[in-house]
Amino acid sequence: MPPNTKQKLIVLIGPTAVGKTKTSIHLAQTFNAEIISGDSMQIYKGMDIGTAKITQAEMEGIPHHLIDIKNPQESFSSAEFQQIVREKISDIHSRGKIPMIVGGTGLYIQSVIFDYQFTDAPGDAEYRSFLEEKVEETGIAPLFEQLQSIDPEAAKNIHPNNTRRVIRALEIFHVTGKTMTGYKERQSDELLYDLALIGLSMDREKLYDRINMRVDLMIENGLIEEVDSLYRSGVHDVQSIQAIGYKEIYEYLDGKISLDRAIEKLKQNSRRYAKRQLTWFRNKMEVRWFDMSDKTYHQKIIEEISEFIAGKLQLKSNK
């Protein structure tokens, strides 16, 4: 496909708490864009505080997509994300707007912008049946432990109770001799869009301070009550509550740890996640990075980002 026929797409990535929300609104206003959430947990209804979900007021009238599209009991995969987002990109273009993905879930974003195939790994129905029988006999735990030893990276991204995905990952390894992670890494690196890929970074200590303050604010704003509501409504052992901000409070509600320890773990897990996000983005994608460490220069940096996007995609600014 010749480059000039590709649809234009802005992607704004960066670790949690780096300042993506405010920056994205400014960019959306500048380029007449609509925002697609690239966060794997903001899809869930009723999970607002712990996912730092954008509020109606913060949206400033900019249309947002892929927020509140699933109930917490439902699972969601990168393959499903890929399909929905590609449809949204075409829909936004059809209305004369520019689509902009904003978020921090690296695999999800990667699956959209590259020619990423989820279904072309060969299968083995007999081996799959054998694994399904094992689950009937012993439960999923032994198979999940097997996956952790074979492909720890895939195991991080699969809920221990998601039988279908655990079996699929083991099946791919059995048939191809390659882990699911390795198989995905061999995917095509051809970009499907005329892309401006921007990353926001920050001095690590400043970012960690922001994360700690954000967690304190979440507690103040009612995170415990939000999680307790899910807990009491019977949302247990599902993908959504494995999210940082929920699994730690569930441990507290289960009586396994104190509230202070749960909050301490939440901060620690959020900092570790931010570090993993940055590592993923730097290793997997060609990103133009902008440093948000100095607050006094934020407006200037946003202007620089706007200039980069305008030049890269040949877009006119509204400002």
Side-chain angles (χ1 to χ4, degrees):
M1 186 189 291
N4 62 354
T5 66
K6 292 182 179 179
Q7 294 174 320
K8 296 181 191 299
L9 176 65
I10 301 167
V11 176
L12 178 67
I13 60 173
T16 184
V18 78
K20 294 186 298 292
T21 299
K22 284 184 180 175
T23 304
S24 68
I25 295 299
H26 184 96
L27 295 176
Q29 291 166 340
T30 301
F31 294 107
N32 195 24
E34 295 189 10
I35 291 173
I36 301 168
S37 170
D39 186 288
S40 61
M41 289 299 158
Q42 293 190 358
I43 59 165
Y44 290 112
K45 298 171 187 171
M47 296 177 66
D48 304 334
I49 299 168
T51 63
K53 196 177 289 175
I54 190 169
T55 64
Q56 284 293 330
E58 286 170 334
M59 289 181 188
E60 294 188 32
I62 300 293
H64 279 65
H65 305 274
L66 263 77
I67 291 175
D68 294 340
I69 63 167
K70 291 272 185 181
N71 292 315
Q73 295 88 344
E74 296 178 273
S75 62
F76 193 66
S77 69
S78 43
E80 193 176 351
F81 177 84
Q82 180 194 64
Q83 180 191 345
I84 296 171
V85 170
R86 286 183 179 168
E87 288 169 2
K88 287 286 180 194
I89 289 170
S90 294
D91 173 56
I92 292 167
H93 270 288
S94 74
R95 290 183 276 105
K97 300 283 202 73
I98 299 294
M100 175 166 56
I101 303 175
V102 178
T105 307
L107 176 62
Y108 278 29
I109 293 167
Q110 194 181 21
S111 76
V112 171
I113 64 177
F114 294 110
D115 187 12
Y116 216 85
Q117 307 295 324
F118 286 97
T119 56
D120 66 348
D124 181 334
E126 194 177 328
Y127 183 69
R128 197 182 317 134
S129 297
F130 166 73
L131 292 179
E132 285 165 354
E133 285 171 19
K134 295 279 283 183
V135 172
E136 289 290 321
E137 291 167 15
T138 63
I140 190 62
L143 292 190
F144 186 74
E145 284 174 21
Q146 190 180 335
L147 178 62
Q148 283 179 310
S149 64
I150 291 168
D151 189 357
E153 194 60 35
K156 277 185 202 170
N157 295 309
I158 297 175
H159 188 274
N161 293 333
N162 193 329
T163 304
R164 183 181 60 80
R165 290 192 68 203
V166 171
I167 287 176
R168 180 59 178 147
L170 291 172
E171 183 186 6
I172 287 172
F173 183 72
H174 174 76
V175 175
T176 68
K178 297 179 178 66
T179 63
M180 181 183 273
T181 301
Y183 197 85
K184 285 177 177 176
E185 282 172 352
R186 289 168 53 244
Q187 300 281 354
S188 167
D189 58 359
E190 183 202 345
L191 284 170
L192 297 183
Y193 299 96
D194 187 7
L195 181 71
L197 180 52
I198 302 107
L200 303 184
S201 63
M202 185 176 283
D203 170 79
R204 183 172 290 182
E205 289 308 312
K206 283 187 179 176
L207 181 64
Y208 286 178
D209 284 345
R210 280 174 66 94
I211 288 169
N212 291 340
M213 285 190 289
R214 174 183 272 193
V215 170
D216 289 337
L217 193 59
M218 285 176 174
I219 302 298
E220 214 174 284
N221 289 341
L223 177 62
I224 311 300
E225 292 76 9
E226 178 176 274
V227 180
D228 187 53
S229 174
L230 291 167
Y231 188 91
R232 289 174 183 275
S233 65
V235 179
H236 295 272
D237 297 322
V238 291
Q239 180 181 338
S240 61
I241 60 158
Q242 293 307 302
I244 295 168
Y246 295 85
K247 62 183 178 181
E248 297 87 358
I249 308 301
Y250 262 67
E251 281 190 77
Y252 158 65
L253 295 172
D254 280 334
K256 293 176 180 174
I257 56 176
S258 68
L259 180 56
D260 284 349
R261 176 64 184 137
I263 294 168
E264 184 187 322
K265 280 184 78 172
L266 170 47
K267 289 178 178 178
Q268 185 181 57
N269 288 339
S270 297
R271 294 192 300 267
R272 285 176 177 167
Y273 179 58
K275 188 179 176 184
R276 286 201 307 274
Q277 282 176 303
L278 280 167
T279 302
W280 173 283
F281 294 138
R282 284 180 174 141
N283 289 345
K284 306 278 187 181
M285 302 187 201
E286 289 287 328
V287 183
R288 174 67 180 269
W289 290 98
F290 293 87
D291 191 330
M292 305 293 282
S293 299
D294 192 336
K295 273 188 177 180
T296 56
Y297 287 102
H298 276 199
Q299 191 56 41
K300 186 175 182 298
I301 293 164
I302 290 172
E303 285 167 12
E304 286 175 11
I305 295 171
S306 300
E307 283 173 23
F308 170 73
I309 292 169
K312 188 86 168 56
L313 300 184
Q314 301 298 296
L315 289 175
K316 288 182 180 175
S317 164
N318 290 335
K319 295 192 175 182

